[in-house]
């Protein structure tokens, strides 16, 4: 923002001086005065927009006006030849000033962050774009160029343990992320010095030179991201409560990937990094592990079926027994009622004997029914092989 103010002020100053020269060199004219004031007013309004495009247009216009003023001055001092020579000399001066300022200014691309450090205080700040003011010689130094565009990396985590002791051969993880706060990325990365030295060595560059290359930071961030992802994936797979064995982990891979993303996001937040997406692209498991898990499921299913079958059999026997008991009770009640209607004199002992005999009969019938159910059906006897007769042997 400061460099925009300086640029706008410089352009307005050039335009103002040029208009003053034109006003002084031309005989007093109401129209010229009005146009000069109007031009200054419009320029002031345009300068307030703080747009580099508007400032550039205004700078071109101010340069043209200054050439007109230079021509008037040259004509007044050197005559007709000065009208041409002085504007040309002034044009060369303007070009030299523009070139010099362009070299001194620090361009800041939108997809990168340029960090500047103060050598005396040690504090670092990100240069404001798209054009930052020149660095103060001997005081400020360009420290790093960090990418702000989206980055991605792939990491394969091998030999992962599960609580069910069904090891997973490997998980291929895809991470998509972006640097949001470049200054935090510079200070939050763990083991930064060791990793930076190794990556700079791989790039065959001095560390100071390598920091000004976005490729260096891409490799550094990917390296640190992969280290953290491996530890988090192992922790999530082993400690999760939704999937215990390899088959469940494979089926719940989306939920586990989301849990990994949440933990990784909390960890790399101190780096100034945001995790955009994290996926388990592939989960490799030994086929024998899947077979073992499936066999266990089959045994559990068979046990469950046997239990259900036994419960049904017990329920059937109970219902049959209850039905027979109810029928026998009705039969005994009807028999006693019939005997009483015929005038038979039944004592308490007679009634007790009748009831006991009926209970004994019902119990024997239930036991016989259960015994018959328990006996397997005999296999069909093989058919006897008949004697083969060779009709051709008969004469």
């Amino acid at each position: 923002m400061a460099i925009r103010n300086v640029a706008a002020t410089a352009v307005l100053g050039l335009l103002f001086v040029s208009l003053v020269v034109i006003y002084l060199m031309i005989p007093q004219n109401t129209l010229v005065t009005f146009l000069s004031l109007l031009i200054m007013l419009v320029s002031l309004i345009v300068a307030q927009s703080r747009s580099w495009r508007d400032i550039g247009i205004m700078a071109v216009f101010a340069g043209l006006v200054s050439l007109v003023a230079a021509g008037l001055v040259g004509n007044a001092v050197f005559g007709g030849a000065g009208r041409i020579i002085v504007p040309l000399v002034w044009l060369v001066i303007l070009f030299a000033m523009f070139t010099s300022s362009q070299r001194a200014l620090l361009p800041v691309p939108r997809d990168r962050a340029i960090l500047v450090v103060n050598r005396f205080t040690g504090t670092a700040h990100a240069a404001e774009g798209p054009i930052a003011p020149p660095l103060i010689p001997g005081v400020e130094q360009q420290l790093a160029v960090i990418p702000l565009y989206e980055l991605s990396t792939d990491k394969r985590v091998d030999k992962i343990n599960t609580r069910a002791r069904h090891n997973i051969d490997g998980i291929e993880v895809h991470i998509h992320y972006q640097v949001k706060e470049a200054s935090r990325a510079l200070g939050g990365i763990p083991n930064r010095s060791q990793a930076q030295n190794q990556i700079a060595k791989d790039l065959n560059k001095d560390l100071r030179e390598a920091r000004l290359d976005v490729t260096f930071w891409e490799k550094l961030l990917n390296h640190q991201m992969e280290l953290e992802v491996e530890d988090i994936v192992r922790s999530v797979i082993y400690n999760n409560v939704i999937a215990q064995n390899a088959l469940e982990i494979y089926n719940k891979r989306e939920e586990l990937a989301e849990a990994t993303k949440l933990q990784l996001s909390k960890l790399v937040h101190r780096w100034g990094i945001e995790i955009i997406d994290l996926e388990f692209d592939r989960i490799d498991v030994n086929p024998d592990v899947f077979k073992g898990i499936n066999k266990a499921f089959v045994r559990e299913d068979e046990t469950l079926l046997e239990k259900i079958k036994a419960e049904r059999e017990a329920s059937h026997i109970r219902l049959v027994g209850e039905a027979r008991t109810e029928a026998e009770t009705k039969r005994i009640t009807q028999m006693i009622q019939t005997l009483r209607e015929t005038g038979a004199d039944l004592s308490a002992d007679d009634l007790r004997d009748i009831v006991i005999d009926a209970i004994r009969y019902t119990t024997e019938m239930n036991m016989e029914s259960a015994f018959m159910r328990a006996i397997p059906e005999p296999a069909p006897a093989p058919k006897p092989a008949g004697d083969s007769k060779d009709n051709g042997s008969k004469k």
Side-chain angles (χ1 to χ4, degrees):
M1 188 64 69
I3 190 63
R4 291 182 183 176
N5 295 335
V6 173
T9 302
V11 171
L12 286 174
L14 176 62
L15 183 60
F16 176 76
V17 172
S18 301
L19 291 175
V20 169
V21 171
I22 293 174
Y23 177 77
L24 295 176
M25 299 304 298
I26 295 178
Q28 292 186 1
N29 189 320
T30 305
L31 179 60
V32 173
T33 303
F34 173 75
L35 291 176
S36 299
L37 293 175
L38 181 61
I39 290 172
M40 284 302 302
L41 179 61
V42 173
S43 300
L44 287 171
I45 295 174
V46 172
Q48 294 300 318
S49 68
R50 304 296 175 86
S51 169
W52 282 107
R53 178 176 176 275
D54 295 340
I55 294 175
I57 294 174
M58 190 172 63
V60 172
F61 180 73
L64 294 176
V65 174
S66 68
L67 290 175
V68 174
L72 294 175
V73 172
N75 182 61
V77 177
F78 302 104
R83 184 185 301 176
I84 298 175
I85 295 175
V86 173
L88 290 177
V89 173
W90 178 243
L91 181 62
V92 172
I93 294 174
L94 286 177
F95 181 76
M97 292 172 59
F98 174 76
T99 305
S100 177
S101 63
Q102 189 177 29
R103 286 197 300 265
L105 295 175
L106 184 63
V108 181
R110 293 180 179 274
D111 61 347
R112 302 176 188 184
I114 298 179
L115 298 183
V116 178
V117 63
N118 188 305
R119 294 182 177 182
F120 296 100
T121 63
T123 58
H125 68 276
E128 296 184 4
I131 299 176
L135 302 179
I136 302 175
V139 177
E140 293 181 328
Q141 177 184 351
Q142 189 173 338
L143 180 61
V145 179
I146 299 179
L148 297 179
Y149 45 82
E150 296 180 0
L151 300 171
S152 64
T153 185
D154 297 298
K155 173 63 178 177
R156 178 178 174 85
V157 184
D158 294 315
K159 304 300 180 183
I160 306 171
N161 296 327
T162 67
R163 285 190 177 274
R165 298 181 181 179
H166 299 144
N167 291 343
I168 296 176
D169 292 341
I171 297 179
E172 294 183 4
V173 187
H174 177 75
I175 312 105
H176 191 200
Y177 63 97
Q178 185 176 15
V179 177
K180 291 297 185 179
E181 298 182 39
S183 58
R184 296 178 65 181
L186 184 65
I189 299 175
N191 302 323
R192 187 177 69 256
S193 298
Q194 180 180 357
Q196 285 187 9
N197 291 329
Q198 183 60 44
I199 294 174
K201 183 179 179 181
D202 295 340
L203 295 175
N204 295 322
K205 291 184 178 182
D206 179 74
L207 180 57
R208 178 179 175 182
E209 180 185 1
R211 286 174 175 172
L212 303 180
D213 186 355
V214 290
T215 304
F216 168 82
W217 291 100
E218 288 180 6
K219 291 181 176 293
L220 177 63
L221 293 173
N222 286 341
H223 171 73
Q224 295 299 131
M225 189 70 66
E226 291 169 7
L227 291 178
E228 301 296 346
V229 165
E230 179 164 1
D231 293 339
I232 293 175
V233 167
R234 294 186 185 279
S235 175
V236 168
I237 295 300
Y238 188 81
N239 295 318
N240 80 90
V241 296
I242 62 174
Q244 300 297 318
N245 58 52
L247 182 59
E248 293 175 347
I249 290 171
Y250 181 83
N251 294 331
K252 299 290 186 179
R253 57 187 179 277
E254 293 183 358
E255 291 88 338
L256 296 174
E258 184 64 24
T260 303
K261 176 184 175 182
L262 291 176
Q263 289 196 24
L264 183 63
S265 297
K266 294 178 181 178
L267 183 64
V268 302
H269 179 69
R270 67 174 185 268
W271 308 357
I273 291 178
E274 175 186 346
I275 301 298
I276 299 174
D277 191 21
L278 187 145
E279 296 178 348
F280 288 175
D281 286 343
R282 181 183 177 89
I283 297 180
D284 294 329
V285 181
N286 192 321
D288 293 336
V289 173
F290 276 145
K291 291 180 181 179
I293 296 174
N294 288 332
K295 287 181 180 178
F297 285 159
V298 169
R299 288 194 296 269
E300 290 179 1
D301 292 342
E302 290 177 350
T303 302
L304 181 60
L305 290 175
E306 291 294 335
K307 180 180 179 181
I308 293 174
K309 183 177 179 181
E311 290 176 351
R312 288 179 178 175
E313 187 69 23
S315 177
H316 177 76
I317 293 174
R318 178 176 58 78
L319 293 175
V320 170
E322 290 177 355
R324 288 180 176 176
T325 300
E326 183 179 358
E328 188 64 20
T329 301
K330 291 181 178 180
R331 186 180 69 83
I332 293 172
T333 302
Q334 186 176 4
M335 182 179 65
I336 293 174
Q337 183 178 0
T338 303
L339 291 174
R340 285 180 174 177
E341 290 177 354
T342 57
D345 186 13
L346 297 176
S347 63
D349 292 336
D350 295 333
L351 293 175
R352 183 184 60 192
D353 293 339
I354 292 173
V355 173
I356 291 174
D357 291 342
I359 292 173
R360 184 182 296 112
Y361 173 77
T362 302
T363 303
E364 290 176 355
M365 291 296 293
N366 289 339
M367 292 178 63
E368 182 180 357
S369 176
F371 177 75
M372 293 302 295
R373 287 179 176 275
I375 297 177
E377 295 182 0
K383 295 181 180 180
D387 296 335
S388 60
K389 296 180 180 180
D390 189 357
N391 294 331
S393 64
K394 294 181 182 180
K395 296 182 181 178

